């Protein structure tokens, strides 16, 4: 079946659709040996030979969906120029070329989804879908009512005010407090920057929930395949909305 070139590239996990458009415009994509930079161009991934920078772009046939409990000290990208540990190394029996749905910082732990379903990953990670993500934050000392109110109402960051968040105190010890922060945005280092903005010192940050999924018994570094019900539940959230 013929599809728009940017959709084919995105479904193959090459890039998001918007990035794929830029790649096409730059003339790096060839269909049957001919460079195509026209945006509406359609091709059939089963019949046409599509290449990016001379390398074949193949649709991913068997889709896999994984939940990983990411340990601190791993990068979410699939390669790291600085030679740090990457989450891919943890997926010992996964042969497919999977990549993460969104990101977690190097020092952030917790629930990370990985898939080879590029289109679904890009859609789910798109801010428009407003998927709830819950983070457990261990912070130094105590948190005041004013700080909770600020985090909940939204704080002013360099890239704009954050949307309202749900903030709860989970536990207190002599030196630390654990709070949960639920947000639906996914900006760069968002929870850390929100905490910094209200003078909270983050000791540890862990994502404990993504939409309706939680980590269950997964220990740091462990992963499992999502069940059929979990995949279809996420598909409903991630499915592109028709106008
Ligand atoms: N917020 C952060 O600050 N870091 C993450 O990894 C995720 C959310």
């Amino acid at each position: 079946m013929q599809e728009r070139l940017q959709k084919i590239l995105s479904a193959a996990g090459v890039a998001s659709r918007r990035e794929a458009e830029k790649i096409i415009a730059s003339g790096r994509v060839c269909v049957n040996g001919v460079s195509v930079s026209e945006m509406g161009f359609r091709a059939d991934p089963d019949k046409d030979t599509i290449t990016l920078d001379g390398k074949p772009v193949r649709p991913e046939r068997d889709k896999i969906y994984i939940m990983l409990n990411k340990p601190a000290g791993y990068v979410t990208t699939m390669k790291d120029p600085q030679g740090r540990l990457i989450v891919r190394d943890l997926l010992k029996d996964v042969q497919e070329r999977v990549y993460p749905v969104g990101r977690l910082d190097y020092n952030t732990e917790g629930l990370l989804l990985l898939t080879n379903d590029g289109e679904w990953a890009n859609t789910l990670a798109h801010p428009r879908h407003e998927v709830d993500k819950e983070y457990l934050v261990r912070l130094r000392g105590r948190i005041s009512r004013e700080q909770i109110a600020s985090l909940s109402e939204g704080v002013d960051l360099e890239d704009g005010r954050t949307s309202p968040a749900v903030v709860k105190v989970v536990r207190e010890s002599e030196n630390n407090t654990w709070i949960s922060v639920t947000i639906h945005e996914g900006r760069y280092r968002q929870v850390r920057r929100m905490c910094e903005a209200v003078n909270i010192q983050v000791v540890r940050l862990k994502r404990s929930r993504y939409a309706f999924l939680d980590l269950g018994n997964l220990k740091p570094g462990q992963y499992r395949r999502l069940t059929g019900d979990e995949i279809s539940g996420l598909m409903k959230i991630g499915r592109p909305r028709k106008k």
Side-chain angles (χ1 to χ4, degrees):
M1 196 180 74
Q2 287 210 329
E3 279 170 330
R4 288 162 85 90
L5 212 41
Q6 59 267 46
K7 186 169 177 197
I8 297 172
L9 294 187
S10 143
V14 167
S16 68
R17 276 209 211 176
R18 194 170 303 165
E19 283 160 11
E21 285 172 6
K22 289 189 200 147
I23 293 174
I24 295 165
S26 68
R28 292 162 58 198
V29 179
C30 290
V31 177
N32 302 324
V34 180
S35 169
V36 173
S37 51
E38 178 197 326
M39 216 40 67
F41 194 91
R42 298 174 90 86
D44 184 337
D46 291 319
K47 295 187 186 142
D48 296 312
T49 305
I50 303 163
T51 56
L52 167 62
D53 297 333
K55 294 195 191 112
V57 173
R58 291 199 189 88
E60 298 279 4
R61 292 281 172 235
D62 296 320
K63 306 286 190 218
I64 66 162
Y65 303 86
I66 290 170
M67 180 200 293
L68 167 73
N69 185 351
K70 175 193 173 299
Y74 280 77
V75 282
T76 315
T77 48
M78 290 294 129
K79 279 189 206 134
D80 184 49
Q82 296 173 46
R84 291 173 298 180
L85 295 168
I86 59 174
V87 289
R88 186 71 189 81
D89 296 337
L90 296 164
L91 310 176
K92 300 276 185 240
D93 69 352
V94 176
Q95 312 303 328
E96 291 84 350
R97 196 171 51 115
V98 292
Y99 28 84
V101 178
R103 295 274 152 93
L104 288 178
D105 306 330
Y106 181 66
N107 281 323
T108 300
E109 305 159 53
L111 200 161
L112 182 68
L113 296 179
L114 298 113
T115 181
N116 58 354
D117 186 343
E119 180 134 28
W120 177 74
N122 290 327
T123 314
L124 205 56
H126 196 285
R128 164 168 69 115
H129 291 290
E130 302 195 344
V131 177
D132 272 353
K133 284 148 294 223
E134 183 177 342
Y135 294 87
L136 276 180
V137 187
R138 180 171 152 205
L139 55 95
R140 178 103 48 231
R142 292 275 175 272
I143 185 167
S144 68
R145 274 198 207 151
E146 291 74 25
Q147 285 169 316
I148 294 178
S150 303
L151 291 176
S152 310
E153 284 158 23
V155 291
D156 289 318
L157 301 179
E158 279 165 21
D159 49 356
R161 195 173 177 79
T162 58
S163 296
V166 178
V167 181
K168 292 180 192 151
V169 175
V170 177
R171 189 151 77 91
E172 287 177 337
S173 73
E174 203 177 324
N175 300 317
N176 296 138
T177 304
W178 282 254
I179 59 169
S180 84
V181 179
T182 304
I183 57 172
H184 62 253
E185 298 170 293
R187 300 195 221 164
Y188 174 68
R189 293 172 63 83
Q190 181 165 340
V191 176
R192 291 180 193 275
R193 290 191 297 135
M194 286 168 69
C195 290
E196 269 163 36
V198 296
N199 291 319
I200 286 174
Q201 204 180 333
V202 174
V203 179
R204 198 169 162 190
L205 179 62
K206 174 177 178 174
R207 181 152 72 194
S208 52
R209 191 167 61 82
Y210 186 96
F212 54 86
L213 295 173
D214 62 36
L215 283 166
N217 296 326
L218 282 186
K219 305 256 176 325
Q222 290 183 336
Y223 62 95
R224 68 168 174 86
R225 304 220 174 191
L226 297 185
T227 65
D229 283 350
E230 290 169 338
I231 296 166
S232 52
L234 288 170
M235 292 282 180
K236 284 189 198 127
I237 300 172
R239 187 173 297 146
R241 286 178 196 157
K242 301 242 162 30
K243 290 209 184 113

